[in-house]
């Protein structure tokens, strides 16, 4: 369905670059272009795809200059946790343009075609991790997950005395491969509690857990710490230890890739374990949600040095579909005037109504309460961020006083979104 007043555009990009689906046979050439653009050795891309196949060749697109591939992108068929439950989404990846062809509209042509393809498949959202913050806003993506990496000196990493500790729990430290089944199951079980998680396919675990010397950046092998209670595994952490010495003092660190806990007591047991490793002085945690339990568990939270970054970007590809399949915290009846340069079928006025556990968005002619870009909706779709900030900044316009605040309230979710799967 198109928004009022805006017809569906033709599929081909107007700048003239030919875009077509790629093939498995063509993958070496595809990988060569992407590797040159992104700065990863092509041998590595080819080896990883051989050892841990993940490519969906029927979702790989190439832009051509004659016969020559000058731009690439691919999409994975993923499942993402969103308010309302897990949903099928397109996971956009492998975006690259051959350096001598950049800034001539090649990516724009690929994006247009990819959005049309995603829509045709019936996926309502496209998501990605961006290499730079400047690329994807114009294509309608908004930074939907802001999370942080953090460091803490172990001398100041004591947890609050009231933290729940249960002596019945044990911590098993081992190679990830030995406990892969438990890890996979725990990730699946806990991911649904937070928006922004990718429900990892079994094939992805091999890639995530493979542990080669060259990936260690001086640290030791990847370890899994699994917390078990009387009824089985309750949490795990994946981490490495970097041992370093200066003036006979240990200055190394525990490098935590992810810590996952199904219970509060398991979370405490994991942090107790990670922060009590010998012969290191600090811990570095790669992916923490804004409201990770550590932010309230540390006796001295000021000691947690945080650096925020955007992880998952979200794009509403089928705007009425995406808004209708999301859940809302409060009833809502509002008219949105949406701009969308790259998926014009979304542009126009939409009346969004939510209540009684249902939501719908219909093309409308009524006067809008808010005028905003589709990227703004992407930025708040998972329940993080604030539309009011876009209004305050003058990027979105509020016509009915309080409209942005009401929408923000309806979009609210109790836990900050988090994405720990970089694809
Ligand atoms: C999900 C992922 O795979 S993330 C990985 C993304 N890939 C990379 O970072 C690899 C290195 N970079 C590249 O290969 C290319 O520069 C790309 C893919 C980022 C951009 O491709 P291009 O073909 O140059 O983009 P295109 O010419 O269509 O640009 C469209 C617009 O976006 C702007 N733009 C594109 N990339 C950037 C950027 N990195 N920073 C700022 N603006 C940008 C262009 O200036 C242009 O603006 P305009 O419409 O006002 O003229």
């Amino acid at each position: 369905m198109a928004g009022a007043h805006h017809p569906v555009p033709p599929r081909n990009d107007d700048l003239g670059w030919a875009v077509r689906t790629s093939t498995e046979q063509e993958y070496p050439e595809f990988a060569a272009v992407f590797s040159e653009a992104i700065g990863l050795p092509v041998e590595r891309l080819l080896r990883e795809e051989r050892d841990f196949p993940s490519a969906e060749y029927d979702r790989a697109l190439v832009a051509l200059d004659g016969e020559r591939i000058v731009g690439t992108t691919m999409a994975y068929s993923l499942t993402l946790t969103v308010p309302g439950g897990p949903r099928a989404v397109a996971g956009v990846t492998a975006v690259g343009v051959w350096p001598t062809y950049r800034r001539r509209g090649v990516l724009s042509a690929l994006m247009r075609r990819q959005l049309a393809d995603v829509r045709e498949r019936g996926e309502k959202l496209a998501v990605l991790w961006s290499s730079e913050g400047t690329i994807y806003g114009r294509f309608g993506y908004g930074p939907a997950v802001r999370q942080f990496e953090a460091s803490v000196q172990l001398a100041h990493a004591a947890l609050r005395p009231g933290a729940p500790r249960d002596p019945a729990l044990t911590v098993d430290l081992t190679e990830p491969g030995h406990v892969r089944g438990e890890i996979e199951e725990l990730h699946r079980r806990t991911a649904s509690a937070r928006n922004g998680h990718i429900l990892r396919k079994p094939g992805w675990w091999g890639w995530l857990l493979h542990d080669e010397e060259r990936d260690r950046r001086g640290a030791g092998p990847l370890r899994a710490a699994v917390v078990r209670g009387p009824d089985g595994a309750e949490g795990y952490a994946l981490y490495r230890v970097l041992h370093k010495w200066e003036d006979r003092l240990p200055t190394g660190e525990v490098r935590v890739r992810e810590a996952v806990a199904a219970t509060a007591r398991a979370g405490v047991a994991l942090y107790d374990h990670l922060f009590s490793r010998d012969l290191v002085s600090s811990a570095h945690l790669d992916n923490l949600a804004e409201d990770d339990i550590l932010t309230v568990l540390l006796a001295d939270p000021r000691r947690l040095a945080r650096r925020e970054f955007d992880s998952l970007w979200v794009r509403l590809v089928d705007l009425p579909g995406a808004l209708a399949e999301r859940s809302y915290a409060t009833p809502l009846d509002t008219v949105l005037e949406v701009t969308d340069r790259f998926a014009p079928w979304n542009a126009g006025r939409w009346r969004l109504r939510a209540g009684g556990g249902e939501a719908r968005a219909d093309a409308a002619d009524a006067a809008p309460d808010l005028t905003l870009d589709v990227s703004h909706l992407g930025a708040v779709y998972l329940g993080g961020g604030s539309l009011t900030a876009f209004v305050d900044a003058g990027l979105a316009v509020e016509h009915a006083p309080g409209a942005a605040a009401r929408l923000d309230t309806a979009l609210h979710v109790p836990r900050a979104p988090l994405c720990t799967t970089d694809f």
Side-chain angles (χ1 to χ4, degrees):
M1 188 201 328
H5 320 306
H6 295 269
V8 176
R11 272 178 59 140
N12 264 336
D13 186 69
D14 43 13
L15 292 170
W17 295 105
V19 173
R20 66 159 167 78
T21 307
S22 190
T23 59
E24 183 167 0
Q25 295 66 36
E26 199 172 58
Y27 186 65
E29 202 189 335
F30 181 110
V33 172
F34 175 55
S35 88
E36 185 66 34
I38 204 74
L40 279 175
V42 67
E43 299 76 27
R44 180 181 173 147
L45 295 177
L46 294 173
R47 192 184 59 245
E48 289 188 352
E49 187 52 37
R50 184 195 65 216
D51 295 346
F52 310 106
S54 64
E56 296 180 35
Y57 295 107
D58 61 330
R59 307 199 70 176
L61 294 173
V62 287
L64 302 166
D65 183 7
E67 297 283 291
R68 179 179 176 187
I69 296 179
V70 296
T72 61
T73 183
M74 196 184 289
Y76 294 126
S77 308
L78 301 180
T79 306
L80 175 76
T81 59
V82 311
R87 299 282 185 263
V89 301
V92 171
T93 186
V95 170
V97 169
W98 190 257
T100 53
Y101 283 80
R102 61 194 282 285
R103 307 302 180 268
R104 291 159 65 186
V106 173
L107 178 60
S108 304
L110 286 164
M111 287 277 116
R112 259 185 225 285
R113 166 66 185 271
Q114 189 175 55
L115 288 168
D117 287 357
V118 170
R119 182 184 186 223
E120 215 164 271
R121 278 181 174 257
E123 291 158 334
K124 297 173 178 67
L125 300 174
V127 299
L128 55 81
W129 282 62
S130 181
S131 58
E132 292 190 89
T134 42
I135 302 173
Y136 292 101
R138 80 190 60 233
F139 300 119
Y141 289 81
V145 183
R146 303 197 67 86
Q147 57 200 48
F148 64 94
E149 51 180 297
S151 296
V152 63
Q153 292 297 314
L154 297 187
H156 300 290
L159 304 187
R160 294 159 72 112
R165 290 190 169 84
D166 186 338
L169 296 181
T170 61
V171 181
D172 179 15
L173 181 63
T174 184
E175 288 177 31
H178 294 166
V179 286
R180 182 165 157 179
E182 282 175 304
I183 290 178
E184 285 189 34
E185 201 277 319
L186 270 165
H187 188 270
R188 209 170 23 248
R189 182 145 53 97
T190 53
S192 310
R194 236 183 232 285
N195 302 303
H197 275 301
I198 305 294
L199 300 186
R200 296 170 181 167
K201 300 178 192 195
W204 283 31
W205 281 97
W207 176 75
L208 282 163
L209 298 180
H210 90 284
D211 185 26
E212 292 182 51
E213 184 77 42
R214 69 177 142 257
D215 297 325
R216 293 179 186 166
R217 291 182 295 127
L222 190 66
R223 293 289 179 234
V226 178
V227 177
R228 295 202 185 85
D231 299 322
E234 293 185 22
Y236 72 86
L238 294 172
Y239 73 98
R240 301 176 193 279
V241 180
L242 171 76
H243 284 294
K244 234 168 52 178
W245 297 83
E246 276 170 40
D247 296 333
R248 302 181 68 81
L249 295 174
T251 57
E253 71 181 2
V254 171
R255 293 180 174 169
V256 186
R257 191 195 286 178
E258 63 185 30
V260 166
T263 60
R265 62 184 186 172
V268 171
L270 280 177
Y271 282 127
D272 273 344
H273 167 75
L274 294 166
F275 296 165
S276 64
R277 288 291 311 237
D278 287 323
L279 306 182
V280 286
S281 62
S282 63
H284 183 270
L285 303 114
D286 274 350
N287 289 300
L288 296 183
E290 265 171 28
D291 56 353
D292 186 273
I293 57 171
L294 195 55
T295 61
V296 291
L297 273 176
L298 279 178
D300 184 356
R302 189 183 291 182
R303 295 287 181 169
L304 193 65
R306 301 156 60 136
R307 195 184 71 79
E308 196 185 67
F309 63 99
D310 49 277
S311 58
L312 200 72
W313 289 59
V314 169
R315 212 284 181 205
L316 279 67
V317 178
D318 167 0
L319 181 141
L323 291 178
E325 73 174 18
R326 192 195 185 280
S327 62
Y328 296 83
T330 55
L332 193 65
D333 188 350
T334 190
V335 177
L336 308 175
E337 170 103 46
V338 180
T339 54
D340 192 334
R341 216 176 112 200
F342 279 80
W345 54 84
N346 287 331
R349 286 185 199 167
W350 300 96
R351 181 175 178 192
L352 171 60
R353 280 172 286 182
E358 287 184 5
R360 54 183 297 171
D362 301 297
D365 285 319
D369 300 317
L370 264 179
T371 298
L372 75 180
D373 187 66
V374 69
S375 62
H376 304 150
L377 287 171
V380 298
Y381 188 83
L382 295 177
S386 143
L387 282 174
T388 301
F390 288 110
V391 171
D392 288 348
L395 298 173
V397 179
E398 191 177 61
H399 308 290
R406 280 191 292 280
L407 192 46
D408 276 335
T409 305
L411 292 166
H412 179 76
V413 295
R415 294 195 182 94
L418 174 70
C419 186
T420 53
T421 310
D422 184 354
F423 51 88

